[in-house]
């Protein structure tokens, strides 16, 4: 398991596992791996993905099979709600809701709001 930067460049792997299984004819075998935020969080940025690479070898024939999966980390949504009717030339209150999905507090976040009639983006520190 390795981080992949938004540029597509993979970073060094931060987790590797090796499993040896005997799979009877016509059967399948499942290996489950759980990766929590505490493990992958220090390795990824806000625009990164995770790359999972799996390779297997058939001992009897030496045949190798491999697969790669990239998982894009999704940012949580912002919810915007008008709290009063929007009237041209008048201020309108807007409610913005953001729920932190991480198991740690976020600090120093800045919300920038833009819209028609605003001469420059307004920033609110939360």
């Amino acid at each position: 398991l390795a981080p992949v930067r938004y540029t597509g460049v993979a970073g060094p792997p931060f987790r590797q596992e090796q499993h040896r299984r005997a799979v009877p004819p016509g059967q399948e075998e499942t290996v489950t791996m759980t990766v929590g935020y505490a493990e992958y969080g220090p390795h990824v940025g806000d625009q990164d993905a995770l790359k999972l690479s799996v390779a297997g070898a058939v001992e009897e024939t030496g045949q190798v099979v491999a697969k790669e999966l990239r998982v894009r980390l999704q940012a949580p949504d912002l919810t915007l709600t008008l709290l009063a009717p929007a009237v041209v030339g008048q201020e309108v209150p807007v409610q913005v809701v953001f729920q932190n999905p991480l198991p740690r507090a976020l600090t120093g976040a800045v919300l920038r709001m833009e819209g028609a009639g605003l001469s420059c983006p307004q920033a609110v520190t939360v």
Side-chain angles (χ1 to χ4, degrees), residues 25-108:
Q27 300 294 310
E28 63 182 46
E29 184 71 24
T30 300
V31 176
T32 301
M33 181 171 75
T34 301
V35 183
Y37 175 76
E39 185 174 2
Y40 73 79
H43 304 282
V44 297
D46 61 349
Q47 306 235 344
D48 292 345
L50 294 175
K51 179 176 76 170
L52 176 62
S53 302
V54 178
V58 179
E59 197 171 88
E60 293 80 4
T61 65
Q63 181 184 10
V64 175
V65 293
K67 187 76 172 177
E68 181 177 292
L69 174 68
R70 287 186 186 211
V71 178
R72 171 78 42 208
L73 300 173
Q74 301 212 356
D77 291 328
L78 291 173
T79 303
L80 301 170
T81 306
L82 290 179
L83 298 178
V87 178
V88 175
Q90 295 182 8
E91 290 186 1
V92 61
V94 177
Q95 178 186 48
V96 180
V97 177
F98 168 80
Q99 182 175 358
N100 178 4
L102 302 176
R104 64 182 177 117
L106 294 176
T107 58

Side-chain angles (χ1 to χ4, degrees), residues 12-30:
F14 61 87
R15 181 170 175 184
Q16 295 179 352
E17 291 185 10
Q18 190 171 38
H19 301 270
R20 187 179 198 100
R21 300 280 198 272
V23 183
Q27 300 294 310
E28 63 182 46
E29 184 71 24
T30 300

